[in-house]
Amino acid sequence: MRLMVRNGSCFVLGIAAVVAFAGVAGAGVKKVANASCSPLYGASICTSYRMQAGKITEVSLRVPIAMIEQAPANAPMIWPPKPDLAIPFAPVVAEQTGFTFADIYWNPHGHPPAAYATSHFDFHFYFAPQRKIEAVDCKDSVKPQSLPAAYALPDVNLPGLGELVGFCVPGMGMHAVPAADLTGKTRWSGSMLVGYYGGKSIFLEPMVTTALLLQKRSFSLRIPQGIEPTAHVRYPREFRAVYLPKQNAYDFTFFY
């Protein structure tokens, strides 16, 4: 089910944070603590960003441990998959970075390819309007002219569904994955995927196992170099999932 309900308390916190940061003399930094919030599995998922000298330096998604712990142990297999949550970023985030919205998919039993057949969450950060992503039907089989170094865009065969060209999923797009994930030589715990459709990049996706998230420790996922430029997108230089002990939550943060 897709939920787009704004959490009033989060909105108030966001306004308070703007005032607090704006009042710091000479700091030149403003933070909107929560641009918008939506409920999922008994927790509140919120977006945020930081600005310095009028330019966005960080874009974040707050991911509470409660959401991870309270996700259902089983969920019906639906094709095409539907996001458990979709949440927009503030207009200024879209204007300056290209990030428009994020969605979350819970996969209690994983999904193909085989490396990802373990309990995990998919977090998609999109560079296109939500209505455009919802209209992706995978009929366009054009792949990008080039991929980041050490990445692959596999064609995946699913029983009863046939071949997914470029691992294309309706309502998402094609998925380029670290080539090393496909060898199965090391146990997978998390990766940064790059999404494409119509030959253009449309999302970045931290895909992370439940086991790693429940360790309650900060971690990083490398953003690949060599993603083909898209006119309206400013690609981040770094991604970190920062664990916050007092909030018992992660901030999934892209840094510029």
Side-chain angles (χ1 to χ4, degrees):
M1 180 181 295
R2 190 169 301 178
L3 301 169
M4 298 296 293
V5 180
R6 172 168 290 195
N7 182 300
S9 61
C10 287
F11 181 74
V12 171
L13 285 172
I15 297 300
V18 171
V19 173
F21 274 81
V24 179
V29 177
K30 178 173 68 174
K31 179 181 180 182
V32 176
N34 297 297
S36 66
C37 298
S38 292
L40 179 63
Y41 300 141
S44 190
I45 314 300
C46 299
T47 64
S48 67
Y49 63 90
R50 285 181 184 268
M51 298 183 75
Q52 186 165 10
K55 196 168 185 179
I56 286 178
T57 57
E58 299 176 20
V59 175
S60 297
L61 184 72
R62 177 66 56 86
V63 180
I65 294 295
M67 182 209 79
I68 300 161
E69 293 177 332
Q70 294 167 187
N74 289 291
M77 298 296 291
I78 300 172
W79 187 264
K82 301 297 181 185
D84 298 272
L85 176 92
I87 184 168
F89 288 106
V92 68
V93 173
E95 291 165 7
Q96 290 200 19
T97 71
F99 279 130
T100 52
F101 75 104
D103 64 23
I104 300 174
Y105 288 81
W106 164 229
N107 303 282
H109 306 294
H111 59 64
Y116 307 135
T118 188
S119 168
H120 71 268
F121 286 88
D122 298 345
F123 300 90
H124 294 84
F125 291 73
Y126 285 99
F127 298 124
Q130 187 173 348
R131 65 183 181 278
K132 186 173 182 179
I133 298 301
E134 291 172 345
V136 168
D137 56 12
C138 292
K139 291 180 180 178
D140 188 337
S141 59
V142 174
K143 294 184 178 181
Q145 292 184 356
S146 64
L147 293 174
Y151 268 64
L153 194 59
D155 297 337
V156 178
N157 246 298
L158 292 185
L161 294 172
E163 186 175 66
L164 307 184
V165 177
F167 193 9
C168 190
V169 179
M172 298 183 201
M174 295 183 179
H175 292 69
V177 305
D181 288 358
L182 303 177
T183 66
K185 292 181 179 179
T186 58
R187 186 170 183 175
W188 175 74
S189 60
S191 297
M192 181 66 68
L193 278 60
V194 183
Y196 295 91
Y197 197 61
K200 299 182 181 298
S201 63
I202 57 170
F203 65 79
L204 292 175
E205 179 191 349
M207 190 165 70
V208 189
T209 62
T210 311
L212 178 57
L213 292 169
L214 291 178
Q215 289 181 15
K216 302 183 182 181
R217 294 188 301 186
S218 298
F219 61 90
S220 299
L221 297 175
R222 187 181 70 86
I223 297 176
Q225 300 299 306
I227 304 174
E228 288 187 4
T230 299
H232 67 291
V233 176
R234 181 161 65 103
Y235 292 108
R237 59 178 173 80
E238 184 181 2
F239 170 83
R240 293 204 302 270
V242 180
Y243 180 66
L244 308 169
K246 289 185 178 179
Q247 291 81 7
N248 196 28
Y250 288 93
D251 271 353
F252 275 31
T253 301
F254 288 98
F255 295 88
Y256 291 85

